Amino acid sequence: MDKGLQSEGKMIDVQQMIEKNKKKKSFGERIERIIPFFLLLCAAVSVLTTVGILFTLLRESIGFFSNVSLFDFYTGTSWSPWSGEYGVAPLIGGTLLITLIATLVAVPLGLMSAIFLSEYANDKVRRVIKPVLEVLAGIPTVVYGYFALTFITPMFQSFIPDLGIFNALSGGFVVGIMIIPMVASLSEDAMNSVPNALREGAYGLGATKLEVVFKVVLPAALSGIIASIVLAISRAIGETMIVTIAAGATPNLTFNPTESIQTMTAFIVQAATGDTTFGSTIYYSLYAVGMTLFIFTLVMNLIAQYISRKFREEY
Amino acid sequence: MLGQNEQNIKKRMEGRVAINKILMVLFGLATAVGLVFLVLLFYRVLTQGIGYLSLDYILNFPAPYPEEAGIYAGLIGSVFLMIIVAIVSVIIGVSTAIYLEEYAPKNKFTEFIRVNIQNLAGVPSIVFGLLGLTFFVYMFNFGYTLIAGGLTMALLILPVIVVAAQEAVRSVPAEIKEASYGMGASKWQTIARVILPAAIPGILTGAIIALSRAIGETAPLIIVGAATAIYTLPESLLAKYTAMPIQIYNWTGRPQEEWQYVAGAGIIVLLAVLLIMNSIAVLIRNKFQRRL
């Protein structure tokens, strides 16, 4: 009797254990099935973000264009939303002026830095200078804006006496300084990936270092270099705080860099900080300008991707 | 005596070598320009702001007089923002990376997600501000609150975190994964117990660098309505808030010269926080950098 009961008890124990184990296993299996689904949901967030951006820009822009005609928006040459004039040209002009100045600063300096780091500097120098140069890219843009307004503008004013406090020149110049590391770093990567055998071949033919740079390295790295420049331009187009702080808030269709201008981004900030009521035409104009800006940068990014994919030299 | 021809060649060679030397100096100088401006910027900020920097400055709320103004609300606001951003963006970002690296089938949809993340990284931050304004502020009806700002920033740095996490996950060697499978571990067990622990230093480094980008971002926060004058700390996710860059922007825009110094002091605090975050990232990288 006793023995039988005991063994029965043990049997039950074992059965319970098996049951438990089964449950545990099915719990584990359930996790195995749920996890990929959860991860896919998370991955979908980035797609939803893009969809959300397109949705909001399009929907509110359509709201805007039911009040202001698309034609007037893109052909008008006067931007003064508070008195009902919505010609976006001055804002685009301001953005292009800033971008042009920034490019003129960043491309020569960035490229020369890249050549120096990749071809002339030894390993030790490069390992110190490159990260330090990249610090420039990590400084918050509001700090650059402060620097442009309180230091660069007064400095320029000592050369150009009739330079206003707010002007495109110092804004664009500082945006240029900010994007130097982008040009330098990405171009340097492109030059670094040119195989040494090509350089050595040129040296063997008696070329100087400079001739190797211009006739071998630069042509071989050209796609990467151009992609880096296009990406930097795209950054300059979308740059907000520097131009908001230093370049002014005067929509002004001019190519005179000493004047105060307003970029697309600066207008968005101005309208968002002002008393813009939800649903007003000015509120919608934020999105119409935002969409124009988005299209500009998107086209730039697509060009950069196309160039680096299409013209990549494989070694 | 060298012949005429040989002399010509020698002259040309000297010219080529000389040009090489001259341009080398020019390239070096161009590199120095960037560094000089970096030094100038730090020098300028330090000399302008150091006079206003004190414990009171760090512990004071914004005030109408420059002598009494402080960055406390901005500092704490930024810390709260970063906590939200870190939680949201790291969970979503790392999950996305694991999905893309370990689960995603090689098809058009996966490729679409990849390209999409690449393009999101190139969207100007102010456009993310407009996204946040439509969805978080108005559609979800959060208003100009901490959670609206935090979620907007989280989406902004999501692509950076995904890319960093992908690299970290990818760099885990296949051998130790296979060893785990060989011991009978399931896919998720392998990911949770082998891949993630090995990838955590890389993920942390990337996350801190992404957060240090977020903490300096100003434009999107302006759009989603961070306040400039706040005299209390945010008490809930649905409270009004401010952040360091917003304070700095506000002070920079004031015409009186004293405010420039107040802004300068704010920038010193902001840069100090950035320096600390980046140092932690470097420390983590150096400490855990081992060849697997």
Side-chain angles (χ1 to χ4, degrees), chain A residues 31-32 35-36 38-40 42-50 52-53 55-57 59-60 108-109 112-117 120 129 132-133 135-136 138-147 149-152 154-155 173 177 180 206-211 213-214 234 237-241 244-245 265-266 268-269 272-273 276-278 283 286-287 290-291 293-294 297-298 301-302 305, chain B residues 13 16-17 19-20 23-24 26-35 37-38 40-42 44-45 48-49 91-96 98-100 103 109 112-113 115-131 133-135 138-139 144 155 158 162 186-189 191 212 215-219 222-223 245 248-249 252-253 259-261 263-265 267 270-271 274:
Chain A
I31 282 196
E32 290 292 328
I35 289 285
F38 170 76
L39 296 179
L40 178 63
C42 288
V45 169
S46 70
V47 178
L48 282 180
T49 308
T50 309
I53 288 175
F55 170 78
T56 171
L57 289 181
R59 196 188 67 166
E60 313 290 24
L109 289 176
M112 288 198 275
S113 306
I115 294 173
F116 180 75
L117 290 175
Y120 286 95
I129 290 185
V132 175
L133 205 57
V135 171
L136 275 176
I139 289 176
T141 53
V142 68
V143 177
Y144 276 114
Y146 174 87
F147 183 62
L149 182 70
T150 67
F151 184 77
I152 299 292
M155 189 180 86
F173 182 82
I177 299 287
I180 284 179
T208 65
K209 200 152 213 171
L210 186 73
E211 288 157 353
V213 168
F214 277 104
S234 160
I237 292 176
E239 171 43 43
T240 309
M241 293 321 292
T244 304
I245 293 172
T265 51
I268 296 175
V269 168
T273 41
T276 308
T277 38
F278 177 74
Y283 170 80
L286 276 181
Y287 291 88
M291 188 165 83
L293 173 73
F294 178 76
T297 54
L298 181 70
N301 291 333
L302 291 179
Q305 281 167 31
Chain B
M13 233 162 77
R16 285 164 58 202
V17 172
I19 289 181
N20 178 40
L23 278 181
M24 177 179 125
L26 186 71
F27 294 151
L29 286 177
T31 313
V33 171
L35 302 179
F37 274 100
L38 186 64
L40 273 177
L41 189 146
F42 281 128
R44 178 72 182 174
V45 167
Q48 295 268 292
I91 289 178
I92 298 181
V94 173
S95 302
T96 306
I98 293 174
Y99 178 77
L100 287 177
Y103 283 101
F109 182 66
F112 173 68
I113 296 181
V115 172
N116 175 56
I117 287 169
Q118 202 183 349
N119 278 319
L120 266 187
V123 173
S125 60
I126 197 163
V127 174
F128 279 92
L130 292 175
L131 173 81
L133 184 66
T134 306
F135 285 96
Y138 289 126
M139 203 177 278
Y144 296 145
L155 291 185
L158 188 59
V162 172
S186 66
K187 185 148 193 164
W188 174 245
Q189 283 171 334
I191 290 171
S212 73
I215 206 168
E217 271 292 349
T218 320
I222 295 178
I223 309 297
I248 294 166
Y249 168 61
T252 305
W259 289 109
Q260 308 288 322
Y261 304 138
I267 292 174
L270 177 61
L271 291 180
L274 279 176

Side-chain angles (χ1 to χ4, degrees), chain A residues 156-192:
Chain A
F156 282 167
Q157 272 172 335
S158 57
F159 305 112
I160 314 165
D162 54 341
L163 192 69
I165 294 175
F166 301 110
N167 61 82
L169 185 63
S170 35
F173 182 82
V174 174
V175 174
I177 299 287
M178 182 193 75
I179 58 176
I180 284 179
M182 252 185 117
V183 178
S185 211
L186 293 175
S187 298
E188 203 247 359
D189 291 343
M191 291 180 201
N192 252 337

Side-chain angles (χ1 to χ4, degrees), chain B residues 252-275:
Chain B
T252 305
R254 298 186 186 185
Q256 297 87 350
E257 210 190 339
E258 292 80 25
W259 289 109
Q260 308 288 322
Y261 304 138
V262 179
I267 292 174
I268 296 177
V269 177
L270 177 61
L271 291 180
V273 172
L274 279 176
L275 185 71

